[in-house]
């Protein structure tokens, strides 16, 4: 049981800490370190609270229930339709992004290993997808084992990068800047999606079992680990480069290059680049596992070899085709990612928890603190993310 708890905690943390973490300093450069820290903690509190709401709802459903079946049970067919549409849209968009990014990196390594430029980019995409699909179709236990190894390597590389970067930071670079409304609006959706692990919750519940006491620890620790790492990463990035330099970097490559130049160390740049590869891999494993289990539940596919293979095709083939033939499509879709995530991670958990409480199902059972006030604050927080995304401009 302890192994499952540790593995589940790392699945939550690994899904959350993706390659997008490296872009957090770029998104929040205009806010300054202090203001970005306050916003980050607020987003963590919101997402941790709604994760606990999911557990409150899960205790009144079968252990293998997915968001699809939970929404049907507590919100009816309309709720199920909304949950299905938002889940499929979000997870397929994320998978397409991971396949495109991971496939590109895989192709780069293949060409370097083979010492030839004749390998087509599509080979990297297809092989990378097939590798991850094989792991996911083998089951959550296999994902758990592999994810632990990748997560450990990821932590080692990040620890090395932070150990080299933090001592080089300057305290004056961490001084807060005047908060500007436009910069806050741009940063909110990015910060929010950086704590998006809710698609993996049903898989973790099914894997660990419906032990609410244990699952609460998994959710809180699994989401707190990324918070601590994010704070350290923000401190290192702002401390070394400063907000003004960060604001001049428009993409991840420029950001890594700026750090490399600032500290005059190719080792740090290589460590960060390799960390990005591992972060992408662990995030892809967690997201695709959640999508796989969701589709298996939605299509009522059995857990047999044939059933899992069929589910695997539906899970991985569409995003792979998008990455191969319409690579810009997922970029457009990702513009809507925060809105879909608000529906999945905030709106639906709040509505389902309200229904559970209205039916009086929580007598002598677990109920998240805060009552109606906390539910209302969570809903307002989710709607503010949507408003920020729309105001900043989608895509």
């Amino acid at each position: 049981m302890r192994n499952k708890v540790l593995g589940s905690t790392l699945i939550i943390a690994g899904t959350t800490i993706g390659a997008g973490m490296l872009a957090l300093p770029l998104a929040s450069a205009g806010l300054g370190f202090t203001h970005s820290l306050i916003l980050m903690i607020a987003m963590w509190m919101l997402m941790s609270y709604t994760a606990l709401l999911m557990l409150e709802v899960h205790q009144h459903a079968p252990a293998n229930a997915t968001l699809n079946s939970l929404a049907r049970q507590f919100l009816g067919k309309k709720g199920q339709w909304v949950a299905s549409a938002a889940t499929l849209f979000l997870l397929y968009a994320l998978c397409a992004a991971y396949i495109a990014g991971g496939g590109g990196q895989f192709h780069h390594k293949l060409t370097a290993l083979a010492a030839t430029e004749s390998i087509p980019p599509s080979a990297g995409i297809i092989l990378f997808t097939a590798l991850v699909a094989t792991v996911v179709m083998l089951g959550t236990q296999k994902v758990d084992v592999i994810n632990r190894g990748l997560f450990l390597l990821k932590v080692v590389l990040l620890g090395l990068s932070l150990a080299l970067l933090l001592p080089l930071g300057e305290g004056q670079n961490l001084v807060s800047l005047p908060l500007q409304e436009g910069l806050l609006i741009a940063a909110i959706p990015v910060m929010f999606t950086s704590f998006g692990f809710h698609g993996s919750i049903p898989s973790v519940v099914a894997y660990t079992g419906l032990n609410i006491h244990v699952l609460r620890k998994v959710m809180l620790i699994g989401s707190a680990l990324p918070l601590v790492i994010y704070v350290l990463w923000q401190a290192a990035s702002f401390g070394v480069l400063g907000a003004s330099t960060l604001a001049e970097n428009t993409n991840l490559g420029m950001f890594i290059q700026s750090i490399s130049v600032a500290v005059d160390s190719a080792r740090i740049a290589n460590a960060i680049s390799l960390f990005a590869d591992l972060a992408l891999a662990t995030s892809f494993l967690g997201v695709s596992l959640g999508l796989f289990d969701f589709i298996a539940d939605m299509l009522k596919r059995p857990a047999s070899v044939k059933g899992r293979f069929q589910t695997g095709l539906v899970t991985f083939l569409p995003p792979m085709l998008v990455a191969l033939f319409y690579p810009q499509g997922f970029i457009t879709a990702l513009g809507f990612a925060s809105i879909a995530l608000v529906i999945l991670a905030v709106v639906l958990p709040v509505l389902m928890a309200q229904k559970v409480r209205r039916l009086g199902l929580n007598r002598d059972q677990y109920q998240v603190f805060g009552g109606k006030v906390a539910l209302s604050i969570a809903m307002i927080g989710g709607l503010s993310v949507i408003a920020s995304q729309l105001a900043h401009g989608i895509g």
Side-chain angles (χ1 to χ4, degrees), residues 245-280:
T245 302
L246 282 172
E248 295 172 359
N249 288 266
T250 57
N251 59 59
L252 187 56
M254 290 178 61
F255 171 57
I256 294 176
Q257 181 62 29
S258 294
I259 288 182
S260 179
V261 171
V263 300
D264 192 24
S265 174
R267 287 186 304 167
I268 293 179
N270 291 333
I272 294 174
S273 179
L274 187 52
F275 166 82
D277 293 342
L278 293 173
L280 186 148

Side-chain angles (χ1 to χ4, degrees), residues 327-341:
Q328 297 303 314
F330 76 86
I331 297 176
T332 303
L334 285 176
F336 295 86
S338 62
I339 296 177
L341 184 58

Side-chain angles (χ1 to χ4, degrees), residues 126-384:
I126 294 171
L127 290 174
F128 178 69
T129 306
L131 181 63
V132 174
T134 301
V135 174
V136 170
M137 284 189 285
L138 289 175
T140 305
Q141 186 175 11
K142 295 296 187 298
V143 174
D144 175 9
V145 173
I146 292 174
N147 184 72
R148 290 189 202 191
L150 294 177
F151 189 86
L152 178 61
L153 285 174
K154 188 164 68 172
V155 169
V156 169
L157 286 168
L158 183 59
L160 174 63
S161 300
L162 291 173
L164 294 171
L165 286 173
L166 285 171
L168 301 176
E170 298 181 13
Q172 63 184 22
N173 287 338
L174 301 180
V175 177
S176 301
L177 297 176
L179 185 67
Q180 298 180 34
E181 182 182 355
L183 299 176
L184 177 63
I185 288 174
I188 285 176
V190 177
M191 289 284 190
F192 176 76
T193 53
S194 296
F195 290 99
F197 60 88
H198 292 58
S200 300
I201 292 178
S203 299
V204 166
V205 172
Y207 180 51
T208 307
L210 269 171
N211 185 325
I212 297 298
H213 177 70
V214 169
L215 286 169
R216 284 183 74 250
K217 290 184 178 180
V218 168
M219 298 302 147
L220 292 176
I221 296 174
S223 61
L225 283 174
L227 175 64
V228 172
I229 290 173
Y230 289 171
V231 169
L232 293 174
W233 180 246
Q234 290 284 89
S237 301
F238 275 92
V240 170
L241 295 180
S244 58
T245 302
L246 282 172
E248 295 172 359
N249 288 266
T250 57
N251 59 59
L252 187 56
M254 290 178 61
F255 171 57
I256 294 176
Q257 181 62 29
S258 294
I259 288 182
S260 179
V261 171
V263 300
D264 192 24
S265 174
R267 287 186 304 167
I268 293 179
N270 291 333
I272 294 174
S273 179
L274 187 52
F275 166 82
D277 293 342
L278 293 173
L280 186 148
T282 54
S283 289
F284 187 26
L285 278 172
V287 168
S288 59
L289 176 64
L291 178 60
F292 182 91
D293 288 343
F294 183 87
I295 289 174
D297 176 69
M298 184 177 67
L299 300 181
K300 306 302 178 188
R301 291 294 85 197
S304 63
V305 174
K306 181 180 179 181
R308 296 187 70 82
F309 180 75
Q310 291 171 338
T311 303
L313 285 178
V314 179
T315 300
F316 292 98
L317 190 57
M320 187 185 74
L321 292 176
V322 169
L324 282 171
F325 299 109
Y326 188 43
Q328 297 303 314
F330 76 86
I331 297 176
T332 303
L334 285 176
F336 295 86
S338 62
I339 296 177
L341 184 58
V342 168
I343 294 172
L344 294 174
V346 180
V347 175
L348 290 176
V350 168
L351 293 179
M352 289 190 293
Q354 284 179 330
K355 182 65 176 292
V356 164
R357 296 176 186 185
R358 193 161 57 244
L359 294 174
L361 300 179
N362 284 343
R363 294 189 185 95
D364 300 322
Q365 289 187 284
Y366 173 68
Q367 180 169 308
V368 188
F369 63 90
K372 294 181 180 179
V373 174
L375 291 176
S376 298
I377 292 174
M379 187 66 84
I380 291 171
L383 294 178
S384 70

